[in-house]
Amino acid sequence: MPDVDRIRETARDWYLRLSDGYVSRQERRAFEAWQRADPAHAAAYAEIEAALGELSASFKPKPRRWPAVALVAAAGAGFVLIPDLFVQLRADHVTGVGAQQRIVLPDGGIAHLNTDTALAIHYGPDQRVVALLRGEAVFDVTVDPGRPFTVSVAGGRATATGTIYGVHFGEDVTVSVLEGTVTVASDGEERALGEGDASVFAEGLPPAPARATEPASLAWRDGFIIIDNTPLADAVEEIDRYLPGVSIVVGQASAADVAGQIAIDAAGEGLMAIAATVGAEVTWITPYLRIIR
């Protein structure tokens, strides 16, 4: 481990120990000796303390909040990375955070899976169904008029006979048609989409029109994230899809517009570069918790 990483790790550990309220005099003296041993030690501790202090302040309006140390401990324990075992067991194909995969379907069609995506395949004599259990995929569907191709997601479905379309399953579901036509159905209602159209729905809600998917939002198929004049908080949320854990933006920088192109396999470095364009810094509390201010 590089010296700077080792120092930050030690500083974080000291912060956790000193914040629990049960520190012996011997531990306090050891901490003070560690700080005096090298100016870099004191600087690293001050950085952690300042970042978490600002994070705690940002949660003050809420009646119940976790103290900063609980946020650090929970993130360090990896609770944000606990796999959904039920989804894992149902899925035929799963991509990890930051990974993409190209799947050849049983009929020769192609499914391009984005980060943190799970897909289950259910083909039969009269149907071609894939269940998008989480994440995002683009489907290049082979033509078979007698056997429609359906993506089942969040209690709804998106059906085509031969086309290219994307489905993103996040807080809601967005279906975007790149070529051909697709029928989206949810809550007993249907909506027909043509090339360039998009629709959004959620479980128990009918499909509604949505803004067409921009080419930049599909840059992940080429290994990139494109940020185009987006508030830093929104850009960080998008980049976080490709990083383990969570990033939290505090301060006025969250509303500043940023732009840039980030390689997915260097998303951490890209996050720091994007933040730097508006004078913000990224503090890595743990590999799973980042504070941007």
Side-chain angles (χ1 to χ4, degrees):
M1 182 183 295
D3 287 346
V4 65
D5 292 338
R6 186 182 300 108
I7 291 171
R8 285 176 177 170
E9 183 79 10
T10 304
R12 186 206 67 188
D13 290 343
W14 273 120
Y15 184 88
L16 292 173
R17 291 167 65 183
L18 296 174
S19 299
D20 68 8
Y22 299 96
V23 183
S24 68
R25 291 183 180 180
Q26 185 177 4
E27 285 180 309
R28 174 66 66 175
R29 287 195 294 268
F31 166 67
E32 292 171 352
W34 175 79
Q35 275 198 312
R36 291 193 300 268
D38 190 327
H41 295 178
Y45 186 84
E47 181 182 28
I48 296 293
E49 189 174 40
L52 290 177
E54 191 167 353
L55 174 62
S56 295
S58 72
F59 281 87
K60 280 184 178 178
K62 300 190 177 188
R64 297 173 66 93
R65 63 181 176 88
W66 289 2
V69 64
L71 287 171
V72 177
F79 84 101
V80 291
L81 297 180
I82 296 174
D84 184 339
L85 295 179
F86 182 65
V87 169
Q88 299 279 4
L89 290 172
R90 292 175 59 197
D92 294 304
H93 300 279
V94 177
T95 58
V97 174
Q100 289 76 41
Q101 190 174 3
R102 180 181 181 272
I103 303 298
V104 179
L105 299 171
D107 61 351
I110 303 296
H112 301 269
L113 277 56
N114 198 6
T115 176
D116 194 24
T117 295
L119 193 73
I121 300 174
H122 309 287
Y123 272 42
D126 302 319
Q127 66 175 12
R128 298 178 291 169
V129 177
V130 298
L132 183 63
L133 306 177
R134 69 169 180 242
E136 178 180 20
V138 172
F139 301 94
D140 190 342
V141 182
T142 58
V143 177
D144 188 346
R147 207 166 50 135
F149 177 89
T150 296
V151 177
S152 173
V153 54
R157 64 182 188 275
T159 303
T161 53
T163 187
I164 301 176
Y165 64 109
V167 183
H168 182 191
F169 184 11
E171 293 182 1
D172 48 28
V173 177
T174 302
V175 178
S176 305
V177 182
L178 307 180
E179 292 183 12
T181 59
V182 173
T183 300
V184 178
S186 178
D187 193 37
E189 297 187 21
E190 293 188 350
R191 177 175 292 273
L193 306 179
E195 183 173 335
D197 292 338
S199 181
V200 61
F201 67 88
E203 188 167 0
L205 295 177
R211 188 176 65 179
T213 298
E214 298 178 1
S217 67
L218 297 176
W220 58 266
R221 292 186 295 176
D222 298 318
F224 294 98
I225 308 166
I226 296 179
I227 307 298
D228 186 12
N229 293 320
T230 300
L232 178 61
D234 293 342
V236 169
E237 184 177 353
E238 176 63 20
I239 297 169
D240 259 13
R241 295 175 60 202
Y242 302 88
L243 289 171
V246 63
S247 301
I248 300 175
V249 186
V250 297
Q252 297 180 346
S254 63
D257 286 344
V258 294
Q261 178 174 294
I262 297 171
I264 289 174
D265 60 4
E269 291 84 348
L271 175 65
M272 292 187 289
I274 283 286
T277 63
V278 292
E281 294 184 355
V282 181
T283 300
W284 295 72
I285 306 302
T286 80
Y288 310 107
L289 177 61
R290 301 165 291 276
I291 309 300
I292 302 169
R293 56 191 175 93

